[in-house]
Amino acid sequence: MSLHLQRQINRLKDMILALGTLVEENTEAAIRAIETRDAKLAAAVIERDNEIDQKEIDVEEECLHTLALHQPVAFDLRYIVAVLKINNDLERIADLAVNIAEKVEFLIKNRAPTGIPFDLPQMTQKVRAMLKQSLDALVNLDPEIAEVVRRTDDEVDLIHRQMYQHVKQAIRQNPEDVELLVNLLSVSRNLERIADHAVNIAEDVIYMAKGDILRHSRTHVIPKTPQS
Amino acid sequence: MTRMTHKMPSKQDQPPTGHAVEGTASAEQPGASPVAIPEPVSNNRLAAIARGENVTSLTHDALKKEVPVVEVKNFNLWYGAKKALFDINMLIPKGKVTALIGPSGCGKSTLLRSVNRLNDLIDNIQIKGDMLLNDDSIYGPGVDVIELRKRMGMVFQKSNPFPMSIFENVVYSLRIDGERNRRTLEDVCERSLRGAALWEEVKDRLHESGLSLSGGQQQRLCIARAIAAEPEVLLMDEPCSALDPIATGKIEDLIQALSGEYSILIVTHNMQQASRSSDFTAFMYLGRVIEYGPTLDIFTKPLCRETEDYVTGRFG
């Protein structure tokens, strides 16, 4: 492969990893802000999104330049196309983190009523892990870690569905709390969407590494272990 | 190098001040064809060129910031009665790679060869305008062409090592200048071969014939020979067209590596080669420079529709 293209790909890798780190940090901060009801931290998350948006545009332009000037093929082509898509997913994750941060102020003013079994810690823990693993998979081009992310998504979906049922029930019982409950549900939904984007990233990593497109399929690259 | 010359009877020779005749149909019924067949907007400039009208070339602002090594000023060239270059104005930036692209017969090689006056060897050539090499006139009266060519290196389509050893090939220019110091010659030889990314492959066989190398190595040997004289500008006329993809990749890497230290002007049929290895690209068509700008802009968002059509393969 041409040295110039190799350098260009390394540059893209640095750029997408820098963006990934920034998005991971901001998502982490948004989750912490909601857990600790920290308005200042939430404001910082919203502020930092501008930087992420700019980086997303930079990565996209760099990808397009590389495609136009170097006509990459095989792994190089898959890599650049996957980076373009991962770039998009990271930017969306950052937007969802902002959505979560925007709920903090409301939740500070309105304490959650007792009796809503919103398992926020369990959900955030899983989403954090998924995002981290999807980025680890990207760093190491490791389809096995990517596969773990795909599987964890089912668990996050389950928690979100339970949350939905709880909120529905609670609204029936305490209609006056509807605004609060809808906001809680929104946090859960945003977390669930972050998990979905982490899965997209993981699937793109599998595409980079192996060339298989696994979207919309339940096929697992690595056979499931009995306990999972 | 020999090349076909179009010898025209002397009575048809056009003086440099005269109007060029570009095809017989050009001056006939100038208003008729647009009415009968409306030209698409995208072809307006091309149609204007075909009618023999003057078309201004579009030079991107980014070039204004560059320090020129070669300046082409209102350069026109005729092969006998046929005009091959029309009012070319270009700055070739110092320390950068500039590529000339365009369909066959658009004048890119003619322009390149005009820089070191190789076209002087062709009969019936007429020139109007000038070029400057680091502010020194190339076509001015009294210019010593040999001295001028010593300041430039040239690499041709087909590698042309001299029938002598690899070492002697590289230091040839120093030899003819009378350099006898063994140490100097060896230093220049190593530096040039390293510069041409050939040192590791030939360092143990410097005294074998240059013709014993593979095609790609021979071309890199020619590049080493060209850079041994530390030229102010390196001219390359389709340097990869006779090479396989691997050797081509090596030369392209080399061109990129040489940029910065050397100023390179390269003619290429291969648009991808221009996109991969140059900093600036000029698109030529029928003897005119249509658009000239940073390679990235030419290949991602050209300003002219004609350039867009050419780089996307819609014509040419």
Side-chain angles (χ1 to χ4, degrees):
Chain A
M1 172 175 40
S2 127
L3 290 174
H4 203 55
L5 175 58
Q6 181 68 62
R7 274 203 292 273
Q8 200 59 22
I9 292 215
N10 289 341
R11 190 177 145 74
L12 267 180
K13 185 169 183 175
D14 291 345
M15 287 174 81
I16 194 77
L17 294 184
L19 177 64
T21 310
L22 201 58
V23 169
E24 190 184 7
E25 281 170 9
N26 227 27
T27 309
E28 174 65 33
I31 290 172
R32 227 171 337 117
I34 205 97
E35 282 174 343
T36 60
R37 304 290 199 261
D38 184 340
K40 233 167 121 182
L41 188 57
V45 168
I46 294 163
E47 174 68 30
R48 207 158 183 208
D49 194 47
N50 293 332
E51 192 187 336
I52 292 173
D53 288 348
Q54 185 53 50
K55 277 200 157 60
E56 185 234 3
I57 292 171
D58 294 347
V59 171
E60 180 168 323
E61 287 196 333
E62 202 63 27
C63 286
L64 295 178
H65 295 168
T66 312
L67 288 172
L69 298 186
H70 297 278
Q71 308 89 38
V73 292
F75 174 79
D76 301 336
L77 178 62
R78 295 204 305 272
Y79 190 85
I80 293 167
V81 170
V83 165
L84 258 179
K85 297 172 73 183
I86 290 171
N87 186 38
N88 198 28
D89 281 315
L90 286 172
E91 194 274 336
R92 289 297 304 143
I93 290 176
D95 284 349
L96 295 166
V98 167
N99 289 352
I100 292 173
E102 282 170 352
K103 302 289 177 230
V104 170
E105 206 175 338
F106 180 87
L107 290 175
I108 289 172
K109 289 182 192 145
N110 304 273
R111 289 279 154 199
T114 47
I116 297 290
F118 180 18
D119 197 352
L120 185 67
Q122 204 205 349
M123 194 169 186
T124 54
Q125 188 211 336
K126 282 194 196 304
V127 171
R128 271 180 181 138
M130 284 174 72
L131 182 55
K132 184 177 183 311
Q133 284 164 339
S134 67
L135 293 173
D136 285 348
L138 174 63
V139 173
N140 304 314
L141 283 182
D142 185 341
E144 289 186 26
I145 307 180
E147 189 55 36
V148 174
V149 176
R150 291 185 82 210
R151 280 197 224 131
T152 319
D153 190 44
D154 295 344
E155 299 165 27
V156 173
D157 287 351
L158 183 66
I159 299 175
H160 178 62
R161 272 201 300 278
Q162 287 167 350
M163 178 67 186
Y164 179 78
Q165 292 302 333
H166 291 314
V167 167
K168 204 161 80 176
Q169 216 169 8
I171 290 177
R172 282 210 192 96
Q173 286 164 3
N174 310 298
E176 66 281 10
D177 285 337
V178 63
E179 199 177 353
L180 173 70
L181 291 163
V182 168
N183 271 290
L184 276 178
L185 185 62
S186 164
V187 171
S188 165
R189 185 183 148 66
N190 282 312
L191 285 169
E192 186 267 335
R193 292 294 300 143
I194 290 178
D196 287 348
H197 286 290
V199 170
N200 289 353
I201 294 174
E203 285 171 349
D204 286 330
V205 169
I206 294 171
Y207 172 71
M208 270 182 190
K210 297 176 162 245
D212 300 326
I213 296 178
L214 297 176
R215 257 185 341 274
H216 320 305
S217 78
R218 305 302 291 174
T219 327
H220 289 285
V221 179
I222 301 135
K224 273 191 173 182
T225 46
Q227 64 266 30
S228 63
Chain B
M1 283 301 291
T2 55
R3 85 177 263 160
M4 292 283 285
T5 59
H6 302 281
K7 287 197 177 174
M8 306 298 263
S10 59
K11 63 177 172 141
Q12 285 189 13
D13 278 4
Q14 295 281 326
T17 46
H19 273 290
V21 181
E22 250 299 302
T24 47
S26 61
E28 292 172 14
Q29 301 171 324
S33 78
V35 177
I37 309 158
E39 292 284 346
V41 180
S42 66
N43 284 335
N44 278 352
R45 287 162 72 92
L46 302 188
I49 291 173
R51 286 195 300 271
E53 293 169 14
N54 275 339
V55 173
T56 50
S57 66
L58 220 161
T59 303
H60 292 224
D61 289 342
L63 275 148
K64 292 181 185 147
K65 295 182 205 132
E66 298 293 326
V67 182
V69 61
V70 173
E71 272 180 85
V72 183
K73 292 188 157 179
N74 298 318
F75 195 81
N76 294 270
L77 184 146
W78 289 258
Y79 288 120
K82 184 164 167 53
K83 194 167 183 181
L85 295 176
F86 294 76
D87 274 322
I88 309 283
N89 281 290
M90 264 180 100
L91 296 182
I92 312 300
K94 188 170 276 182
K96 299 282 165 67
V97 181
T98 304
L100 301 175
I101 60 169
S104 293
C106 72
K108 21 183 221 302
S109 284
T110 302
L111 181 61
L112 183 89
R113 286 150 182 272
S114 299
V115 177
N116 68 353
R117 294 187 58 170
L118 268 192
N119 288 328
D120 287 10
L121 306 172
I122 301 170
D123 295 339
N124 282 335
I125 220 137
Q126 300 220 44
I127 281 153
K128 199 181 97 186
D130 199 1
M131 295 189 183
L132 303 179
L133 173 63
N134 283 324
D135 295 330
D136 299 332
S137 172
I138 293 177
Y139 283 91
V143 170
D144 182 341
V145 180
I146 303 296
E147 283 305 314
L148 180 80
R149 289 192 188 135
K150 279 187 189 169
R151 296 166 62 187
M152 309 183 197
M154 179 125 188
V155 178
F156 295 92
Q157 190 168 350
K158 195 165 174 333
S159 57
N160 52 353
F162 302 138
M164 49 181 76
S165 72
I166 294 170
F167 180 85
E168 289 300 331
N169 260 286
V170 178
V171 300
Y172 186 78
S173 60
L174 282 83
R175 284 266 195 235
I176 56 171
D177 257 359
E179 178 63 56
R180 304 176 76 94
N181 186 318
R182 191 82 202 162
R183 186 80 225 143
T184 310
L185 293 175
E186 281 171 359
D187 285 350
V188 168
C189 177
E190 178 171 346
R191 183 178 51 77
S192 306
L193 285 170
R194 279 191 193 281
L198 190 58
W199 176 250
E200 291 303 324
E201 292 162 55
V202 301
K203 62 182 177 187
D204 299 324
R205 46 193 281 216
L206 289 176
H207 296 283
E208 288 177 27
S209 165
L211 297 167
S212 67
L213 299 172
S214 72
Q217 287 173 328
Q218 286 191 14
Q219 192 64 310
R220 276 181 285 149
L221 177 62
C222 293
I223 293 174
R225 187 177 63 198
I227 63 179
E230 307 227 316
E232 291 165 47
V233 60
L234 193 53
L235 307 173
M236 296 182 155
D237 193 355
E238 301 191 29
C240 302
S241 60
L243 301 179
D244 67 68
I246 302 293
T248 299
K250 284 186 181 172
I251 302 276
E252 286 177 6
D253 281 345
L254 174 57
I255 291 170
Q256 267 298 316
L258 291 174
S259 99
E261 204 175 339
Y262 294 92
S263 312
I264 298 174
L265 182 60
I266 177 170
V267 162
T268 174
H269 266 325
N270 181 336
M271 259 184 286
Q272 282 70 38
Q273 182 162 73
S275 76
R276 285 190 295 255
S277 51
S278 71
D279 302 302
F280 294 94
T281 298
F283 166 54
M284 294 182 66
Y285 184 68
L286 289 180
R288 283 90 168 168
V289 172
I290 304 291
E291 185 171 354
Y292 180 31
T295 300
L296 183 60
D297 292 342
I298 298 288
F299 286 94
T300 55
K301 42 183 180 199
L303 299 178
C304 289
R305 185 59 195 266
E306 295 75 20
T307 313
E308 173 107 30
D309 286 350
Y310 182 69
V311 297
T312 51
R314 290 195 170 81
F315 89 91

